[in-house]
mmCIF file of all heavy atoms in Angstrom:
data_model
loop_
_atom_site.group_PDB
_atom_site.id
_atom_site.type_symbol
_atom_site.label_atom_id
_atom_site.label_comp_id
_atom_site.label_asym_id
_atom_site.label_seq_id
_atom_site.Cartn_x
_atom_site.Cartn_y
_atom_site.Cartn_z
ATOM 1 N N VAL S 10 12.986 -79.028 -55.024
ATOM 2 C CA VAL S 10 11.677 -78.646 -54.513
ATOM 3 C C VAL S 10 11.471 -77.152 -54.740
ATOM 4 O O VAL S 10 12.385 -76.356 -54.545
ATOM 5 C CB VAL S 10 11.567 -78.963 -53.001
ATOM 6 C CG1 VAL S 10 10.191 -78.635 -52.482
ATOM 7 C CG2 VAL S 10 11.894 -80.422 -52.750
ATOM 8 N N VAL S 39 13.950 -86.110 -51.102
ATOM 9 C CA VAL S 39 14.130 -85.117 -50.052
ATOM 10 C C VAL S 39 14.951 -85.760 -48.940
ATOM 11 O O VAL S 39 14.515 -86.729 -48.325
ATOM 12 C CB VAL S 39 12.767 -84.627 -49.499
ATOM 13 C CG1 VAL S 39 12.979 -83.610 -48.394
ATOM 14 C CG2 VAL S 39 11.901 -84.057 -50.609
ATOM 15 N N VAL S 44 17.581 -78.316 -46.163
ATOM 16 C CA VAL S 44 16.652 -77.226 -46.437
ATOM 17 C C VAL S 44 15.458 -77.747 -47.236
ATOM 18 O O VAL S 44 14.324 -77.325 -47.019
ATOM 19 C CB VAL S 44 17.371 -76.083 -47.199
ATOM 20 C CG1 VAL S 44 16.392 -75.045 -47.689
ATOM 21 C CG2 VAL S 44 18.441 -75.455 -46.329
ATOM 22 N N ASP S 45 15.704 -78.670 -48.157
ATOM 23 C CA ASP S 45 14.607 -79.214 -48.971
ATOM 24 C C ASP S 45 13.514 -79.840 -48.119
ATOM 25 O O ASP S 45 12.338 -79.790 -48.478
ATOM 26 C CB ASP S 45 15.119 -80.248 -49.976
ATOM 27 C CG ASP S 45 15.744 -79.614 -51.208
ATOM 28 O OD1 ASP S 45 15.637 -78.374 -51.349
ATOM 29 O OD2 ASP S 45 16.325 -80.349 -52.027
ATOM 30 N N GLU S 46 13.884 -80.430 -46.994
ATOM 31 C CA GLU S 46 12.888 -81.016 -46.104
ATOM 32 C C GLU S 46 11.934 -79.927 -45.590
ATOM 33 O O GLU S 46 10.719 -80.118 -45.564
ATOM 34 C CB GLU S 46 13.573 -81.724 -44.939
ATOM 35 C CG GLU S 46 12.628 -82.503 -44.064
ATOM 36 C CD GLU S 46 13.371 -83.280 -42.984
ATOM 37 O OE1 GLU S 46 14.397 -82.788 -42.477
ATOM 38 O OE2 GLU S 46 12.903 -84.376 -42.662
ATOM 39 N N ASN S 47 12.484 -78.784 -45.224
ATOM 40 C CA ASN S 47 11.649 -77.668 -44.766
ATOM 41 C C ASN S 47 10.823 -77.078 -45.899
ATOM 42 O O ASN S 47 9.667 -76.720 -45.714
ATOM 43 C CB ASN S 47 12.519 -76.579 -44.137
ATOM 44 C CG ASN S 47 13.196 -77.045 -42.877
ATOM 45 O OD1 ASN S 47 12.703 -77.917 -42.171
ATOM 46 N ND2 ASN S 47 14.355 -76.479 -42.594
ATOM 47 N N VAL S 48 11.425 -76.972 -47.086
ATOM 48 C CA VAL S 48 10.702 -76.434 -48.240
ATOM 49 C C VAL S 48 9.541 -77.357 -48.605
ATOM 50 O O VAL S 48 8.429 -76.899 -48.877
ATOM 51 C CB VAL S 48 11.653 -76.245 -49.446
ATOM 52 C CG1 VAL S 48 10.876 -75.863 -50.700
ATOM 53 C CG2 VAL S 48 12.707 -75.207 -49.134
ATOM 54 N N PHE S 49 9.784 -78.658 -48.596
ATOM 55 C CA PHE S 49 8.730 -79.618 -48.933
ATOM 56 C C PHE S 49 7.581 -79.525 -47.928
ATOM 57 O O PHE S 49 6.415 -79.568 -48.304
ATOM 58 C CB PHE S 49 9.298 -81.037 -48.983
ATOM 59 C CG PHE S 49 8.365 -82.029 -49.615
ATOM 60 C CD1 PHE S 49 8.144 -82.021 -50.977
ATOM 61 C CD2 PHE S 49 7.714 -82.976 -48.842
ATOM 62 C CE1 PHE S 49 7.286 -82.942 -51.567
ATOM 63 C CE2 PHE S 49 6.862 -83.894 -49.420
ATOM 64 C CZ PHE S 49 6.646 -83.876 -50.782
ATOM 65 N N SER S 50 7.898 -79.364 -46.658
ATOM 66 C CA SER S 50 6.871 -79.203 -45.632
ATOM 67 C C SER S 50 6.070 -77.925 -45.871
ATOM 68 O O SER S 50 4.838 -77.928 -45.776
ATOM 69 C CB SER S 50 7.522 -79.175 -44.250
ATOM 70 O OG SER S 50 6.555 -78.947 -43.264
ATOM 71 N N ALA S 51 6.759 -76.831 -46.191
ATOM 72 C CA ALA S 51 6.066 -75.573 -46.487
ATOM 73 C C ALA S 51 5.198 -75.717 -47.725
ATOM 74 O O ALA S 51 4.092 -75.173 -47.789
ATOM 75 C CB ALA S 51 7.079 -74.449 -46.678
ATOM 76 N N LEU S 52 5.679 -76.469 -48.692
ATOM 77 C CA LEU S 52 4.910 -76.709 -49.913
ATOM 78 C C LEU S 52 3.624 -77.465 -49.594
ATOM 79 O O LEU S 52 2.552 -77.114 -50.085
ATOM 80 C CB LEU S 52 5.757 -77.497 -50.914
ATOM 81 C CG LEU S 52 5.085 -77.871 -52.226
ATOM 82 C CD1 LEU S 52 4.698 -76.617 -53.001
ATOM 83 C CD2 LEU S 52 6.011 -78.734 -53.055
ATOM 84 N N GLN S 53 3.725 -78.484 -48.761
ATOM 85 C CA GLN S 53 2.531 -79.229 -48.358
ATOM 86 C C GLN S 53 1.520 -78.293 -47.704
ATOM 87 O O GLN S 53 0.333 -78.345 -48.009
ATOM 88 C CB GLN S 53 2.899 -80.347 -47.390
ATOM 89 C CG GLN S 53 3.606 -81.497 -48.037
ATOM 90 C CD GLN S 53 4.031 -82.529 -47.014
ATOM 91 O OE1 GLN S 53 4.722 -82.205 -46.056
ATOM 92 N NE2 GLN S 53 3.623 -83.754 -47.227
ATOM 93 N N ASN S 54 1.981 -77.431 -46.815
ATOM 94 C CA ASN S 54 1.092 -76.489 -46.145
ATOM 95 C C ASN S 54 0.498 -75.494 -47.132
ATOM 96 O O ASN S 54 -0.679 -75.148 -47.041
ATOM 97 C CB ASN S 54 1.824 -75.749 -45.027
ATOM 98 C CG ASN S 54 2.202 -76.663 -43.894
ATOM 99 O OD1 ASN S 54 1.558 -77.676 -43.661
ATOM 100 N ND2 ASN S 54 3.272 -76.325 -43.206
ATOM 101 N N GLY S 55 1.292 -75.035 -48.086
ATOM 102 C CA GLY S 55 0.807 -74.101 -49.099
ATOM 103 C C GLY S 55 -0.265 -74.705 -49.969
ATOM 104 O O GLY S 55 -1.251 -74.057 -50.323
#
Side-chain angles (χ1 to χ4, degrees):
V10 183
V39 179
V44 171
D45 280 352
E46 187 175 35
N47 295 332
V48 172
F49 193 73
S50 177
L52 178 63
Q53 287 176 305
N54 293 333

